[in-house]
Amino acid sequence: MRQSCTAYLRPAGRVLLPLLFLLSPLQGQPSSGFLNPAADPDHHLTAGEFLKDLGGNFLGLINKQSIAPLVAGTAMTAIATAPEQQLERHFSRGEMWGMWSDPGKYIGNALTLSGASAALFGISRKSKDRKFRSLSYSLVQGMIMTPAITEPMKYGFHRLRPDGQDHRGFPSGHAVQSFMFATVVAEHYGWKAAIPSYLIAAYVSSTRMEERKHHLTDVAAGSAIGFLVGQTVSRRMRSEKPSRFGWQVYPSGGGIAGSLQVSLR
């Protein structure tokens, strides 16, 4: 058992641990200046505002602050190709972790994290804590964004899973969602919250390889995407600038007319 664990940790650690160290300097410090109206206890959030923020978050991915995470994620995904085949041969022997890997598929499941995000959002609407309200709002926005990003990628890359189940291997949805969740928590509550959050996210990602649902490059890319989304939704909660995405609907003649505005600046 010791030899089995050592054989796994050596190649996997070359990617997962450096990934955490590369992303950690990019992690912002916690701030109490959550200026987005959604964080204001006295502000009544509307569906229109929620959708505008969501559109603004998608556009917020196109930002100079996204360059460093993209470069780090691309580099780690490229490095992950080296030990990938060794890991696949290791895990092809059968279940190596036994029951220790089972929680991972539930912790990082989209339904689990979506449910947790929705519950926190509902509770936060009654809270006066701006940081908590910002956290829950960011999580809900992030949980909507992650499948919208990963699902087209899965169909586009059409990568076969290691177990041959289907061609939805790249990137790992569990890695994307768990790292997004961890990043939002870390952005709001600092390094003390970041350590356990990222360790759980790394554990979830590792179990997806142990269960032969994903390759190492799948989880490396997924973790980078999750970090980028989590950083984006958290960063925009500290800004009171108007959304770069909006629309108007108004009466015109015998019907209605509308306009859509998207600012790329």
Side-chain angles (χ1 to χ4, degrees), residues 2 14 47 54 58 64 70 83 106 122 133 147 156 238-239 246 256:
R2 181 178 298 175
R14 294 172 191 167
L54 185 61
F58 275 108
K64 63 182 180 180
L70 280 174
Y106 300 110
R133 291 172 65 90
R238 297 191 178 99
S239 173
I256 59 174

Side-chain angles (χ1 to χ4, degrees), residues 39-169:
D40 186 354
D42 298 323
H43 179 74
H44 176 68
L45 181 67
T46 66
E49 288 175 325
F50 184 90
L51 293 175
K52 286 183 179 181
D53 280 337
L54 185 61
N57 278 322
F58 275 108
L59 290 174
L61 294 171
I62 308 172
N63 188 287
K64 63 182 180 180
Q65 296 187 48
S66 300
I67 297 175
L70 280 174
V71 171
T74 301
M76 292 310 304
T77 303
I79 294 172
T81 59
E84 187 168 72
Q85 291 185 354
Q86 182 181 349
L87 271 177
E88 290 177 6
R89 286 194 297 268
H90 173 73
F91 287 129
S92 65
R93 303 172 190 172
E95 292 188 3
M96 308 300 294
W97 292 4
M99 62 180 294
W100 292 101
S101 67
D102 291 342
K105 61 185 175 183
Y106 300 110
I107 295 174
N109 185 273
L111 291 177
T112 301
L113 294 180
S114 296
S117 301
L120 290 173
F121 179 75
I123 296 171
S124 72
R125 294 301 92 187
K126 302 295 184 181
S127 173
K128 298 295 184 181
D129 188 333
R130 294 180 71 97
K131 185 184 294 186
F132 177 49
R133 291 172 65 90
S134 173
L135 168 79
S136 64
Y137 191 71
S138 299
L139 288 175
V140 170
Q141 293 263 320
M143 287 306 301
I144 295 174
M145 292 176 65
T146 50
I149 295 171
T150 57
E151 289 303 313
M153 292 181 68
K154 284 179 178 290
Y155 284 105
F157 284 97
H158 199 65
R159 190 180 193 186
L160 183 67
R161 295 182 188 269
D163 64 358
Q165 180 182 8
D166 55 43
H167 287 80
R168 291 167 48 82

